[in-house]
Amino acid sequence: MTGQEPLNKKAKFLVVANRLPTDLVTHEDGTQEWKRSPGGLVTALEPILRSHHGAWIGWPGVADAEPEPFDQDGVTIIPVKLSAEEVENYYEGFSNDTLWPLYHNGIVEPQYREDWWETYKEVNQRFAEVAAETAAENGVVWVNDYQLQLVPALLREMRPDVRIGFFLHIPFPPLELFEQLPWRDEIIDGLLGSDLIGFHVPGNAINFQRLTNVRRKHRVTRGKMSCVGHCGHIEVPQKEGSPRFVKVGAFPISIDSGAFDEQAKTDEIKKHGVELRKRVGDPATLALGVDRMDYTKGIEVRLEAIYQLLQEGRLDPEKFVFVQLATPSRERVDAYKELRKRVEEKVARINGEYASVGRPVISYLHQSAPFEDLLGFYRNADVMLVTPLKDGMNLVCKEFVAASTDGNGSLVLSEFAGAARELRTAYQCNPYDIEGVKDAIMHAIEDPEEERRRRMRALRRQVLTHDVNRWAKSFLDALPEH
Ligand code: ADQ
């Protein structure tokens, strides 16, 4: 392994997330290497992590690996070991086959299994213990996402001095749905160990407040329905003394939009985008989809809409190409295997009926795309199709907007993506209303150029002024002092 220095300091600022910002990769010859996986969260938090002797606690992505903590560019990386069975029960099972579908409106049926829950508790305990050992006196611990919802209360028990923020990256469901969960009260109490709980949109924060009020009888104070930032608080009674107040708020995440804009503007990306467009036959209209292969993302919805538009003659297969880049995801979970099969059947059916030799109508890749391909496609696509059935935020639509530096792309966006609240001038649609989706696609293609540009200008203003740094700062600023 490379680039390691021993750990020697306690961290004043600590990020706890299921995954580390760097992956342990095993080569064919058995040697291992750390590969940085720079995402928005890492980019936003790196400066704060560095300036505060920060540390990041997470799983390195390989079962049974137990590397020592090390220093990477001024950030202490603290790997947490998960056994193969734990990956199966805690990660693939409880996180991705129970909580993920439940929190996304039950699009597929959540699986409830006691053995998964037991492992979820054990793994959360382990993360909390590592955080408790690592955090400096009165430090700040930022816990991320649905895999670690028990960590705040477990950590508070061990380290009442630290300030705990929790951010949920996926939607929080309404009470009526959440109540299905056999371990609902344990999850609520786990989250309430935080000083601040952040969601993407106010509706999620309100769902959580209502839930704690109804199930735990905690008093809640609500801010305005439309608030962004601090939306209210929950009064949590203590065994002794006065109640604790847990702040709840909406903090819509974003991307490093300036960097996307800068890089997409370069001549290399412009040239690369033109080349990619040529490779798919230089169509009059190039439509694009970029997603993890996930049933929440509505990949089937857009394929069905395109299929019907071709059948109705509203799209001309000689002039239209749809590129779908789908990065493999959670491939051992049944619902994901079934989704992949359905998507691939649909792509084959559409191409079978409408493609000509050497010129597919749908160009589909089940691969992770290199970053310059993403930028090249974003910059050169005429229409971006983002049609999730439910999505916490959806960063892809923001990436498309930030990379549309020529100002002439159109965004078709589901109302059920968290981003729809901010991206008002997108061509919005209800993904359950296939006629509505088809009309939105046709407007996005056929509206006068002036109208399409006007919409994109407004989208770019929003995305370029609301970047991931602003998001991280607003969350940390809202974290109350003890
Ligand atoms: P995700 O569900 O993973 O995130 P999203 O926010 O769209 O969804 O982010 C996906 C990321 O993966 C993007 O950065 C995108 O560029 C990249 N990606 C997707 N397909 C790719 C491909 N084929 N090749 C290469 N890269 C690809 C969860 C929640 C979201 C929330 C984020 C952040 O589900 O709702 O927006 O966390 O909080």
Side-chain angles (χ1 to χ4, degrees), residues 7 20 44 62 74 88 155 166 240 249 252 254 275 295 309 376 386 391 403 410 417 436 440 459-461:
L7 158 80
L20 287 170
V62 179
E88 211 175 310
L155 177 59
F166 179 91
E240 286 167 24
S254 191
E275 166 62 26
Y295 51 77
L309 288 169
V386 180
D391 216 331
S410 300
L459 296 178
R460 284 180 59 76
R461 248 196 321 272

Short mmCIF file of all heavy atoms in Angstrom, two decimals, residues 7 20 44 62 74 88 155 166 240 249 252 254 275 295 309 376 386 391 403 410 417 436 440 459-461:
data_model
loop_
_atom_site.label_atom_id
_atom_site.label_comp_id
_atom_site.label_asym_id
_atom_site.label_seq_id
_atom_site.Cartn_x
_atom_site.Cartn_y
_atom_site.Cartn_z
N LEU A 7 -1.19 7.68 12.15
CA LEU A 7 -2.13 8.62 12.74
C LEU A 7 -1.66 8.99 14.14
O LEU A 7 -1.26 8.15 14.90
CB LEU A 7 -3.49 7.93 12.80
CG LEU A 7 -4.52 8.44 13.79
CD1 LEU A 7 -5.19 9.65 13.19
CD2 LEU A 7 -5.52 7.35 14.07
N LEU A 20 -15.31 5.46 2.63
CA LEU A 20 -14.22 6.42 2.70
C LEU A 20 -14.16 7.21 1.39
O LEU A 20 -14.69 6.75 0.38
CB LEU A 20 -12.89 5.68 2.89
CG LEU A 20 -12.63 5.07 4.26
CD1 LEU A 20 -11.40 4.16 4.20
CD2 LEU A 20 -12.46 6.14 5.32
N ALA A 44 -16.18 19.29 -1.10
CA ALA A 44 -16.70 20.35 -0.22
C ALA A 44 -16.06 20.31 1.15
O ALA A 44 -15.79 21.34 1.76
CB ALA A 44 -18.21 20.19 -0.07
N VAL A 62 -13.84 -2.97 0.55
CA VAL A 62 -13.44 -4.36 0.36
C VAL A 62 -13.74 -5.12 1.66
O VAL A 62 -13.33 -4.68 2.74
CB VAL A 62 -11.92 -4.48 0.08
CG1 VAL A 62 -11.51 -5.93 -0.10
CG2 VAL A 62 -11.54 -3.66 -1.14
N GLY A 74 -3.34 15.56 4.19
CA GLY A 74 -3.75 16.35 5.35
C GLY A 74 -5.03 15.88 6.01
O GLY A 74 -5.49 16.49 6.97
N GLU A 88 -23.01 -8.18 3.48
CA GLU A 88 -24.25 -8.76 2.98
C GLU A 88 -25.47 -8.31 3.81
O GLU A 88 -26.51 -7.94 3.25
CB GLU A 88 -24.12 -10.28 3.04
CG GLU A 88 -24.88 -10.99 1.96
CD GLU A 88 -24.59 -12.49 2.02
OE1 GLU A 88 -23.40 -12.86 2.08
OE2 GLU A 88 -25.57 -13.26 2.04
N LEU A 155 -23.15 7.53 19.77
CA LEU A 155 -21.99 8.39 19.99
C LEU A 155 -22.25 9.36 21.15
O LEU A 155 -21.38 9.58 22.00
CB LEU A 155 -21.70 9.16 18.69
CG LEU A 155 -20.57 10.16 18.71
CD1 LEU A 155 -19.24 9.50 19.08
CD2 LEU A 155 -20.43 10.85 17.33
N PHE A 166 -26.16 15.31 11.62
CA PHE A 166 -26.48 14.15 10.77
C PHE A 166 -27.11 14.67 9.49
O PHE A 166 -28.02 15.52 9.53
CB PHE A 166 -27.47 13.22 11.49
CG PHE A 166 -27.85 12.02 10.65
CD1 PHE A 166 -27.13 10.84 10.72
CD2 PHE A 166 -28.91 12.10 9.75
CE1 PHE A 166 -27.46 9.75 9.91
CE2 PHE A 166 -29.24 11.02 8.94
CZ PHE A 166 -28.51 9.85 9.02
N GLU A 240 -33.09 13.28 33.30
CA GLU A 240 -32.95 14.30 34.35
C GLU A 240 -32.77 15.64 33.68
O GLU A 240 -32.18 15.73 32.61
CB GLU A 240 -31.69 14.04 35.19
CG GLU A 240 -31.82 12.88 36.12
CD GLU A 240 -30.47 12.47 36.68
OE1 GLU A 240 -29.55 13.31 36.73
OE2 GLU A 240 -30.35 11.28 37.05
N GLY A 249 -33.52 20.75 9.71
CA GLY A 249 -33.53 21.73 8.64
C GLY A 249 -33.36 21.14 7.26
O GLY A 249 -33.09 19.94 7.11
N PRO A 252 -30.26 21.86 0.76
CA PRO A 252 -30.18 21.18 -0.56
C PRO A 252 -28.72 21.06 -1.02
O PRO A 252 -28.05 22.08 -1.22
CB PRO A 252 -30.97 22.09 -1.49
CG PRO A 252 -31.50 23.22 -0.66
CD PRO A 252 -30.89 23.17 0.69
N SER A 254 -25.41 20.36 -3.34
CA SER A 254 -25.10 20.74 -4.72
C SER A 254 -23.77 20.12 -5.14
O SER A 254 -23.29 19.19 -4.51
CB SER A 254 -25.10 22.26 -4.86
OG SER A 254 -25.06 22.62 -6.22
N GLU A 275 -16.68 15.03 -30.98
CA GLU A 275 -16.24 13.70 -31.39
C GLU A 275 -17.23 12.61 -30.91
O GLU A 275 -17.62 11.72 -31.67
CB GLU A 275 -14.82 13.48 -30.83
CG GLU A 275 -14.27 12.08 -30.83
CD GLU A 275 -14.14 11.49 -32.22
OE1 GLU A 275 -14.00 12.27 -33.17
OE2 GLU A 275 -14.23 10.23 -32.34
N TYR A 295 -33.52 1.40 -9.57
CA TYR A 295 -34.94 1.47 -9.91
C TYR A 295 -35.59 2.79 -9.52
O TYR A 295 -36.70 3.09 -9.94
CB TYR A 295 -35.71 0.29 -9.31
CG TYR A 295 -35.47 0.07 -7.83
CD1 TYR A 295 -36.07 0.88 -6.88
CD2 TYR A 295 -34.61 -0.92 -7.39
CE1 TYR A 295 -35.83 0.69 -5.52
CE2 TYR A 295 -34.36 -1.13 -6.04
CZ TYR A 295 -34.98 -0.31 -5.11
OH TYR A 295 -34.73 -0.50 -3.78
N LEU A 309 -43.01 7.63 -28.36
CA LEU A 309 -42.84 8.78 -29.28
C LEU A 309 -42.39 8.31 -30.66
O LEU A 309 -42.78 8.87 -31.69
CB LEU A 309 -41.84 9.78 -28.69
CG LEU A 309 -42.35 10.59 -27.49
CD1 LEU A 309 -41.20 11.35 -26.81
CD2 LEU A 309 -43.46 11.57 -27.89
N GLY A 376 -18.14 15.83 -21.83
CA GLY A 376 -18.35 16.00 -23.27
C GLY A 376 -19.81 15.80 -23.65
O GLY A 376 -20.39 16.58 -24.41
N VAL A 386 -33.83 13.39 -16.92
CA VAL A 386 -33.66 13.02 -15.51
C VAL A 386 -35.07 12.76 -14.97
O VAL A 386 -35.79 13.70 -14.65
CB VAL A 386 -32.95 14.15 -14.73
CG1 VAL A 386 -32.77 13.75 -13.26
CG2 VAL A 386 -31.59 14.47 -15.35
N ASP A 391 -36.11 10.82 -5.75
CA ASP A 391 -34.68 11.06 -5.60
C ASP A 391 -34.48 12.12 -4.52
O ASP A 391 -35.18 13.14 -4.53
CB ASP A 391 -34.11 11.58 -6.94
CG ASP A 391 -32.71 11.07 -7.23
OD1 ASP A 391 -31.97 10.82 -6.25
OD2 ASP A 391 -32.35 10.93 -8.41
N ALA A 403 -22.40 22.14 -16.70
CA ALA A 403 -21.53 21.85 -17.85
C ALA A 403 -22.13 22.33 -19.17
O ALA A 403 -21.47 22.24 -20.21
CB ALA A 403 -21.25 20.35 -17.92
N SER A 410 -31.46 21.49 -22.95
CA SER A 410 -32.74 21.51 -22.23
C SER A 410 -32.76 20.39 -21.21
O SER A 410 -32.34 19.28 -21.51
CB SER A 410 -33.91 21.28 -23.19
OG SER A 410 -33.94 22.27 -24.18
N ALA A 417 -37.68 14.62 -8.00
CA ALA A 417 -36.27 14.79 -7.61
C ALA A 417 -36.24 16.00 -6.67
O ALA A 417 -36.92 17.00 -6.93
CB ALA A 417 -35.41 15.07 -8.83
N GLY A 436 -47.44 13.02 -19.96
CA GLY A 436 -46.75 14.23 -19.49
C GLY A 436 -45.25 14.17 -19.77
O GLY A 436 -44.64 15.17 -20.17
N ALA A 440 -43.21 16.68 -22.22
CA ALA A 440 -42.05 17.44 -21.72
C ALA A 440 -40.86 17.22 -22.65
O ALA A 440 -40.13 18.17 -22.99
CB ALA A 440 -41.72 17.01 -20.29
N LEU A 459 -31.50 28.33 -14.99
CA LEU A 459 -30.97 27.14 -14.29
C LEU A 459 -29.50 27.37 -13.93
O LEU A 459 -29.06 27.05 -12.82
CB LEU A 459 -31.10 25.90 -15.17
CG LEU A 459 -32.51 25.43 -15.53
CD1 LEU A 459 -32.45 24.20 -16.44
CD2 LEU A 459 -33.31 25.10 -14.27
N ARG A 460 -28.76 27.91 -14.86
CA ARG A 460 -27.31 28.12 -14.62
C ARG A 460 -27.08 29.13 -13.49
O ARG A 460 -26.19 28.97 -12.67
CB ARG A 460 -26.59 28.53 -15.91
CG ARG A 460 -26.39 27.33 -16.84
CD ARG A 460 -25.68 27.69 -18.12
NE ARG A 460 -24.35 28.27 -17.95
CZ ARG A 460 -23.25 27.59 -17.64
NH1 ARG A 460 -23.32 26.29 -17.45
NH2 ARG A 460 -22.08 28.21 -17.53
N ARG A 461 -27.91 30.17 -13.47
CA ARG A 461 -27.79 31.16 -12.38
C ARG A 461 -27.93 30.46 -11.03
O ARG A 461 -27.15 30.67 -10.11
CB ARG A 461 -28.88 32.22 -12.53
CG ARG A 461 -28.33 33.59 -12.89
CD ARG A 461 -29.30 34.72 -12.69
NE ARG A 461 -30.67 34.43 -13.06
CZ ARG A 461 -31.19 34.59 -14.28
NH1 ARG A 461 -30.44 35.02 -15.27
NH2 ARG A 461 -32.47 34.33 -14.50
#
